[in-house]
Amino acid sequence: MKLKNPLKKIIIPGFEGLSLHEVSLFFYQGITKGAVTTRASSLAFNFFLAFFPSIIVIFTLIPFVPITGFQEQLFILIMEVLPPSTFGATKSIVDDIINNERGGLLSFTFILALYFCTNGVNAMITGFNSTYHHKDDRSWLQLKLLSFSLTVILTIFL
């Protein structure tokens, strides 16, 4: 009780006249009632799900953009990163993807990666916008269109 009185008297600039006690209470309620861990795990899952189609898209693009000696350097890098038994199992698959042009696989994995990345950006927007203190008023379609356009912009930047 002795701690509350001094905190109610401390007013931090930039918090519109709210005391340190009120700001701390607001923050505590946001953390405890806002399901932060659930939102973080949802975000991590969605981006992890988008990771593998994106890697396949990148590997499928390699035959279309020939760079001298790139495949050999890529295999050396993969061999250094993966354990020997895993590299032996994946070498033939990666070699087949890199050395043979597959337009159908590229189209399919590009659409799949775009879909999963859009879901990841959607989860990120939802996670950052949802709070215990405020409800987001965007419709489902508006949120999907925003997520898709942000995904395309981020892809162009990359």
Coordinates of all heavy atoms in Angstrom, one line a residue, residues 34-84:
G34 N -4.4 -10.4 -22.4 CA -4.2 -10.2 -23.8 C -3.7 -11.4 -24.6 O -3.6 -11.4 -25.8
A35 N -3.4 -12.5 -23.9 CA -3.0 -13.8 -24.5 C -1.8 -13.6 -25.4 O -1.7 -13.9 -26.6 CB -4.1 -14.4 -25.3
V36 N -0.7 -13.0 -24.9 CA 0.5 -12.7 -25.6 C 1.2 -13.9 -26.1 O 1.6 -14.0 -27.3 CB 1.5 -11.8 -24.8 CG1 2.8 -11.6 -25.5 CG2 0.8 -10.5 -24.4
T37 N 1.3 -14.9 -25.3 CA 2.0 -16.2 -25.7 C 1.2 -16.9 -26.8 O 1.9 -17.5 -27.6 CB 2.2 -17.1 -24.4 OG1 0.9 -17.4 -23.8 CG2 3.1 -16.5 -23.4
T38 N -0.1 -16.9 -26.7 CA -0.9 -17.5 -27.8 C -0.6 -16.8 -29.1 O -0.5 -17.5 -30.2 CB -2.4 -17.5 -27.4 OG1 -2.5 -18.1 -26.2 CG2 -3.2 -18.2 -28.5
R39 N -0.6 -15.5 -29.1 CA -0.4 -14.7 -30.3 C 1.0 -15.0 -30.9 O 1.2 -15.1 -32.1 CB -0.7 -13.3 -30.1 CG -2.1 -13.0 -29.9 CD -2.4 -11.5 -29.9 NE -2.2 -11.1 -28.5 CZ -1.9 -9.9 -28.1 NH1 -1.7 -9.0 -28.9 NH2 -1.8 -9.6 -26.8
A40 N 2.0 -15.0 -30.0 CA 3.4 -15.3 -30.4 C 3.5 -16.6 -31.0 O 4.2 -16.8 -32.0 CB 4.3 -15.1 -29.2
S41 N 2.9 -17.6 -30.4 CA 3.1 -19.0 -31.0 C 2.3 -19.1 -32.3 O 2.8 -19.8 -33.2 CB 2.5 -20.0 -30.0 OG 1.2 -19.8 -29.7
S42 N 1.2 -18.4 -32.4 CA 0.5 -18.4 -33.7 C 1.4 -17.8 -34.8 O 1.4 -18.3 -35.9 CB -0.8 -17.7 -33.6 OG -1.4 -17.4 -34.8
L43 N 2.0 -16.7 -34.5 CA 2.9 -16.0 -35.4 C 4.0 -16.9 -35.8 O 4.4 -17.0 -37.0 CB 3.4 -14.7 -34.8 CG 4.2 -13.7 -35.6 CD1 3.3 -13.2 -36.7 CD2 4.7 -12.6 -34.7
A44 N 4.7 -17.5 -34.9 CA 5.8 -18.4 -35.2 C 5.4 -19.6 -36.0 O 6.1 -19.9 -37.0 CB 6.5 -18.8 -33.9
F45 N 4.3 -20.2 -35.7 CA 3.8 -21.3 -36.5 C 3.5 -20.9 -37.9 O 3.9 -21.6 -38.9 CB 2.6 -21.9 -35.8 CG 1.9 -23.0 -36.7 CD1 2.5 -24.2 -36.7 CD2 0.8 -22.8 -37.4 CE1 1.9 -25.3 -37.4 CE2 0.2 -23.8 -38.2 CZ 0.8 -25.0 -38.2
N46 N 2.9 -19.8 -38.2 CA 2.5 -19.4 -39.5 C 3.8 -19.1 -40.4 O 3.8 -19.5 -41.5 CB 1.6 -18.2 -39.5 CG 0.2 -18.6 -39.2 OD1 -0.4 -19.5 -39.9 ND2 -0.4 -18.0 -38.2
F47 N 4.8 -18.4 -39.8 CA 6.0 -18.2 -40.5 C 6.8 -19.4 -40.7 O 7.5 -19.6 -41.8 CB 6.8 -17.0 -39.9 CG 6.2 -15.7 -40.3 CD1 5.7 -14.9 -39.3 CD2 6.2 -15.2 -41.6 CE1 5.2 -13.6 -39.6 CE2 5.7 -14.0 -41.9 CZ 5.2 -13.2 -40.9
F48 N 6.8 -20.3 -39.8 CA 7.5 -21.6 -39.9 C 6.9 -22.4 -41.0 O 7.6 -23.1 -41.8 CB 7.5 -22.4 -38.6 CG 8.3 -23.7 -38.7 CD1 9.6 -23.7 -38.7 CD2 7.6 -24.9 -38.7 CE1 10.3 -24.8 -38.8 CE2 8.3 -26.1 -38.8 CZ 9.7 -26.0 -38.8
L49 N 5.6 -22.4 -41.1 CA 4.8 -23.1 -42.2 C 5.2 -22.5 -43.6 O 5.2 -23.2 -44.6 CB 3.3 -23.0 -41.9 CG 2.4 -24.0 -42.6 CD1 2.8 -25.4 -42.2 CD2 1.0 -23.7 -42.2
A50 N 5.4 -21.2 -43.7 CA 5.7 -20.6 -44.9 C 7.2 -20.8 -45.3 O 7.5 -20.6 -46.5 CB 5.4 -19.1 -44.8
F51 N 8.0 -21.2 -44.4 CA 9.5 -21.3 -44.7 C 9.8 -22.4 -45.8 O 10.5 -22.1 -46.7 CB 10.2 -21.7 -43.4 CG 11.6 -21.8 -43.5 CD1 12.5 -20.7 -43.8 CD2 12.2 -23.1 -43.4 CE1 13.8 -20.9 -43.9 CE2 13.6 -23.3 -43.6 CZ 14.4 -22.1 -43.8
F52 N 9.2 -23.6 -45.7 CA 9.6 -24.7 -46.6 C 9.1 -24.5 -48.0 O 9.9 -24.7 -49.0 CB 9.1 -26.0 -46.0 CG 9.8 -26.3 -44.7 CD1 9.1 -26.2 -43.5 CD2 11.1 -26.7 -44.7 CE1 9.8 -26.5 -42.3 CE2 11.8 -27.0 -43.6 CZ 11.1 -26.9 -42.4
P53 N 7.9 -24.0 -48.3 CA 7.6 -23.7 -49.7 C 8.5 -22.6 -50.3 O 8.8 -22.6 -51.4 CB 6.1 -23.2 -49.7 CG 5.6 -23.8 -48.4 CD 6.7 -23.9 -47.5
S54 N 8.8 -21.6 -49.4 CA 9.7 -20.5 -49.9 C 11.1 -21.1 -50.3 O 11.7 -20.7 -51.3 CB 9.9 -19.5 -48.8 OG 8.6 -18.9 -48.5
I55 N 11.6 -22.0 -49.5 CA 12.9 -22.6 -49.8 C 12.8 -23.4 -51.2 O 13.7 -23.3 -52.0 CB 13.4 -23.6 -48.7 CG1 13.7 -22.7 -47.5 CG2 14.6 -24.4 -49.1 CD1 14.9 -21.8 -47.6
I56 N 11.7 -24.1 -51.4 CA 11.5 -24.8 -52.6 C 11.4 -23.9 -53.8 O 12.0 -24.1 -54.9 CB 10.3 -25.8 -52.6 CG1 10.5 -26.9 -51.5 CG2 10.0 -26.4 -53.9 CD1 9.3 -27.7 -51.2
V57 N 10.8 -22.7 -53.6 CA 10.7 -21.7 -54.7 C 12.1 -21.2 -55.0 O 12.5 -21.1 -56.2 CB 9.8 -20.5 -54.3 CG1 10.0 -19.4 -55.2 CG2 8.3 -21.0 -54.3
I58 N 12.9 -20.9 -54.0 CA 14.2 -20.4 -54.3 C 15.1 -21.5 -55.0 O 15.8 -21.2 -55.9 CB 14.9 -20.0 -52.9 CG1 14.2 -18.8 -52.4 CG2 16.4 -19.7 -53.1 CD1 14.6 -18.4 -51.0
F59 N 15.0 -22.7 -54.5 CA 15.8 -23.8 -55.2 C 15.3 -24.0 -56.6 O 16.1 -24.3 -57.5 CB 15.7 -25.1 -54.4 CG 16.6 -25.2 -53.3 CD1 16.5 -26.1 -52.3 CD2 17.7 -24.3 -53.1 CE1 17.4 -26.2 -51.2 CE2 18.5 -24.3 -52.1 CZ 18.4 -25.3 -51.1
T60 N 14.0 -23.9 -56.9 CA 13.4 -24.1 -58.2 C 13.8 -23.0 -59.2 O 13.9 -23.2 -60.4 CB 11.9 -24.3 -58.1 OG1 11.6 -25.2 -57.1 CG2 11.3 -24.7 -59.4
L61 N 14.1 -21.8 -58.6 CA 14.5 -20.7 -59.5 C 15.9 -20.8 -60.0 O 16.2 -20.1 -61.0 CB 14.3 -19.4 -58.7 CG 12.9 -18.8 -58.6 CD1 12.9 -17.6 -57.7 CD2 12.4 -18.4 -60.0
I62 N 16.7 -21.6 -59.3 CA 18.2 -21.6 -59.7 C 18.4 -22.0 -61.1 O 19.2 -21.4 -61.8 CB 18.9 -22.5 -58.7 CG1 18.9 -21.8 -57.3 CG2 20.3 -22.8 -59.1 CD1 19.5 -22.7 -56.2
P63 N 17.7 -23.1 -61.7 CA 18.0 -23.4 -63.1 C 17.6 -22.3 -64.1 O 18.1 -22.2 -65.1 CB 17.2 -24.7 -63.3 CG 16.8 -25.2 -62.0 CD 16.8 -24.1 -61.1
F64 N 16.6 -21.5 -63.7 CA 16.2 -20.4 -64.6 C 17.1 -19.3 -64.6 O 17.1 -18.5 -65.6 CB 14.8 -20.0 -64.2 CG 13.7 -21.0 -64.4 CD1 13.2 -21.7 -63.3 CD2 13.3 -21.3 -65.7 CE1 12.2 -22.7 -63.5 CE2 12.3 -22.3 -65.9 CZ 11.8 -22.9 -64.8
V65 N 17.9 -19.1 -63.6 CA 18.9 -18.0 -63.6 C 20.3 -18.6 -63.4 O 20.8 -18.8 -62.3 CB 18.6 -17.0 -62.4 CG1 19.6 -15.9 -62.4 CG2 17.2 -16.6 -62.4
P66 N 20.9 -19.0 -64.5 CA 22.2 -19.7 -64.4 C 23.3 -18.8 -64.0 O 23.6 -17.8 -64.6 CB 22.4 -20.3 -65.9 CG 21.6 -19.4 -66.7 CD 20.5 -18.9 -65.9
I67 N 24.0 -19.2 -62.9 CA 25.2 -18.5 -62.4 C 26.3 -19.6 -62.4 O 26.1 -20.6 -61.9 CB 24.9 -18.0 -61.0 CG1 23.8 -17.0 -61.0 CG2 26.2 -17.3 -60.5 CD1 23.3 -16.6 -59.6
T68 N 27.4 -19.2 -63.0 CA 28.5 -20.2 -63.2 C 29.0 -20.6 -61.8 O 29.4 -19.8 -61.0 CB 29.6 -19.6 -64.0 OG1 29.1 -19.0 -65.2 CG2 30.7 -20.6 -64.3
G69 N 29.0 -21.9 -61.6 CA 29.6 -22.5 -60.4 C 28.7 -22.3 -59.1 O 29.1 -22.7 -58.0
F70 N 27.5 -21.8 -59.3 CA 26.6 -21.6 -58.2 C 26.1 -22.9 -57.5 O 26.1 -23.0 -56.3 CB 25.4 -20.8 -58.6 CG 24.5 -20.5 -57.4 CD1 24.9 -19.5 -56.4 CD2 23.3 -21.1 -57.3 CE1 24.1 -19.2 -55.4 CE2 22.4 -20.8 -56.2 CZ 22.8 -19.9 -55.3
Q71 N 25.8 -23.9 -58.4 CA 25.3 -25.2 -57.8 C 26.4 -25.9 -57.0 O 26.1 -26.4 -55.9 CB 24.9 -26.1 -59.0 CG 23.5 -25.8 -59.6 CD 23.7 -25.0 -60.8 OE1 24.8 -24.6 -61.2 NE2 22.5 -24.7 -61.4
E72 N 27.6 -25.8 -57.4 CA 28.7 -26.4 -56.6 C 28.9 -25.7 -55.3 O 29.1 -26.4 -54.3 CB 30.0 -26.4 -57.4 CG 30.0 -27.3 -58.7 CD 29.3 -26.7 -59.9 OE1 29.2 -25.4 -59.9 OE2 28.9 -27.4 -60.8
Q73 N 28.9 -24.4 -55.3 CA 29.0 -23.7 -54.1 C 27.8 -23.9 -53.1 O 28.0 -24.0 -51.9 CB 29.1 -22.2 -54.4 CG 30.4 -21.7 -55.1 CD 31.6 -22.0 -54.1 OE1 31.5 -21.8 -52.9 NE2 32.7 -22.4 -54.7
L74 N 26.6 -24.1 -53.7 CA 25.5 -24.4 -52.9 C 25.6 -25.7 -52.2 O 25.3 -25.9 -51.1 CB 24.2 -24.3 -53.7 CG 22.9 -24.5 -53.0 CD1 22.6 -23.4 -52.0 CD2 21.7 -24.6 -54.0
F75 N 26.1 -26.7 -53.0 CA 26.2 -28.1 -52.4 C 27.3 -28.1 -51.3 O 27.2 -28.7 -50.3 CB 26.6 -29.1 -53.5 CG 25.4 -29.6 -54.2 CD1 25.3 -29.5 -55.6 CD2 24.3 -30.2 -53.5 CE1 24.2 -30.0 -56.2 CE2 23.2 -30.7 -54.1 CZ 23.1 -30.6 -55.5
I76 N 28.3 -27.3 -51.5 CA 29.4 -27.2 -50.5 C 28.8 -26.6 -49.2 O 29.0 -27.1 -48.1 CB 30.6 -26.4 -51.0 CG1 31.3 -27.2 -52.1 CG2 31.5 -26.0 -49.9 CD1 32.4 -26.4 -52.8
L77 N 28.0 -25.5 -49.4 CA 27.4 -24.9 -48.2 C 26.4 -25.8 -47.5 O 26.4 -25.9 -46.3 CB 26.6 -23.6 -48.7 CG 25.9 -22.9 -47.6 CD1 26.8 -22.2 -46.6 CD2 25.0 -21.8 -48.2
I78 N 25.6 -26.5 -48.3 CA 24.6 -27.5 -47.7 C 25.4 -28.6 -47.0 O 25.0 -29.0 -45.9 CB 23.7 -28.1 -48.8 CG1 22.7 -26.9 -49.3 CG2 22.8 -29.2 -48.2 CD1 21.9 -27.4 -50.4
M79 N 26.5 -29.1 -47.6 CA 27.3 -30.1 -46.9 C 27.9 -29.7 -45.6 O 28.0 -30.4 -44.7 CB 28.4 -30.6 -47.9 CG 29.1 -31.8 -47.4 SD 30.2 -32.5 -48.6 CE 31.0 -31.2 -49.4
E80 N 28.3 -28.4 -45.6 CA 28.9 -27.9 -44.3 C 27.8 -27.7 -43.2 O 28.1 -27.8 -42.0 CB 29.6 -26.5 -44.6 CG 30.8 -26.7 -45.4 CD 31.4 -25.3 -45.8 OE1 30.8 -24.3 -45.4 OE2 32.5 -25.3 -46.4
V81 N 26.6 -27.4 -43.6 CA 25.5 -27.1 -42.6 C 24.9 -28.4 -42.1 O 24.6 -28.5 -40.9 CB 24.5 -26.1 -43.3 CG1 23.3 -26.0 -42.4 CG2 25.1 -24.8 -43.6
L82 N 24.6 -29.3 -43.0 CA 23.9 -30.5 -42.6 C 24.8 -31.6 -42.1 O 26.0 -31.7 -42.6 CB 23.1 -31.1 -43.8 CG 21.9 -30.2 -44.3 CD1 21.3 -30.9 -45.5 CD2 20.9 -30.0 -43.3
P83 N 24.3 -32.5 -41.3 CA 25.1 -33.7 -40.9 C 25.3 -34.6 -42.1 O 24.5 -34.6 -43.0 CB 24.3 -34.4 -39.8 CG 23.3 -33.4 -39.4 CD 23.1 -32.4 -40.5
P84 N 26.4 -35.4 -42.1 CA 26.7 -36.2 -43.3 C 25.6 -37.2 -43.7 O 25.3 -37.3 -44.9 CB 27.9 -37.0 -42.9 CG 28.6 -36.2 -41.8 CD 27.4 -35.5 -41.1

